[in-house]
Amino acid sequence: MADAHRHVVTINRAPVLTLWAAVVAERLGFAWDEALTLGRAVAGLNAYAKGVSIGVFQPAPKDVKEKRRKMASGQKMHVDLLHRAVPVAATQDGIRALVKDRAIDPESVERYLEKAFGETLDAARAAMTTLARSLPPAKLAGRAYHLYEEFRPEVPAGAAGWGAKGRLDLDRLRGLAAKTE
C-alpha cells in the first residue's frame, strides 16, 4: 500500500531486501534475471540468520554436514552479495542462485515482488536503481548492506518484528542517492 503524497510503501522487509539485492547485483554486472535469483537468495539467507538468532529456526547437524560435504566437492560457486555468500550454479539460462541445491526461478521472484510492492514496484525499483548508480560498482559492493540499513522499513526488534510491515520511504532512498553523488 502506498501513500501517493510521500511516496511511502507499507511493506515487509523481505521483499525490500530482495529487490535491493537484485538491483545491486544488476549494477555489479549480472543480468536482471540472474540478479532476481541472487536477491531472493540474499533475503532468504538473511531471514534464516534472523530466525536462528530469535529461535525461529534451529540449524540441523545433518544439514550442516551435507553442506560441508558438497562444498568440499567443489560443485558450487558462491557470489558475495550484501555480505552473504550466495550459492550459485551456471545453467543454460545463466547464473542462478540456489536454495537447497535447486535453482531459483526468476519469474517466481518477479511475481513475488509484484505481489509485495503492487503498483509501487516500478517506483521502488527506480529509486533503488538511482541509489545503486550513485556509487561506482566497487564501492557499492562494499556499502550495499549498510545502505539497506539506512532505508529499510523499521519494524520492532526481535521476534515481534518477524513478518511485520514497516514504511519504506522512496523519497528517503532518493535522498540517499543525492548524498552519495
Side-chain angles (χ1 to χ4, degrees):
M1 177 184 296
D3 177 339
H5 300 292
R6 294 210 45 216
H7 301 103
V8 173
V9 182
T10 302
I11 192 165
N12 182 288
R13 282 184 175 176
V16 173
L17 181 56
T18 300
L19 181 59
W20 174 240
V23 166
V24 169
E26 184 180 43
R27 174 75 170 123
L28 298 178
F30 291 92
W32 182 243
D33 60 337
E34 295 171 335
L36 284 168
T37 71
L38 291 165
R40 184 66 170 156
V42 165
L45 290 167
N46 241 40
Y48 181 78
K50 176 69 174 182
V52 169
S53 74
I54 64 173
V56 175
F57 299 123
Q58 297 297 323
K62 181 180 175 184
D63 292 341
V64 172
K65 184 186 277 186
E66 180 66 15
K67 286 181 183 178
R68 188 175 291 125
R69 183 190 66 76
K70 287 187 177 178
M71 287 176 67
S73 72
Q75 295 178 353
K76 291 182 187 175
M77 300 177 290
H78 286 83
V79 171
D80 181 31
L81 184 62
L82 279 75
H83 305 299
R84 294 287 182 201
V86 179
V88 299
T91 71
Q92 64 185 14
D93 297 318
I95 298 292
R96 295 291 182 263
L98 303 173
V99 170
K100 296 182 181 178
D101 294 326
R102 291 184 44 210
I104 297 172
D105 174 23
E107 291 175 6
S108 71
V109 181
E110 191 72 47
R111 287 189 303 271
Y112 166 72
L113 292 173
E114 287 169 354
K115 182 177 179 185
F117 281 92
E119 64 188 32
T120 63
L121 178 58
D122 290 340
R125 182 176 176 191
M128 290 181 188
T129 298
T130 298
L131 177 56
R133 289 182 181 163
S134 71
L135 292 168
K139 279 191 176 182
L140 177 63
R143 293 188 55 201
Y145 193 80
H146 173 71
L147 288 168
Y148 167 72
E149 291 176 322
E150 292 284 319
F151 68 76
R152 68 186 176 189
E154 289 193 32
V155 298
W162 186 261
K165 291 185 177 184
R167 296 167 55 87
L168 173 64
D169 187 334
L170 301 184
D171 291 334
R172 180 168 171 75
L173 266 165
R174 292 181 194 101
L176 286 170
K179 286 181 186 178
T180 62
E181 293 177 336

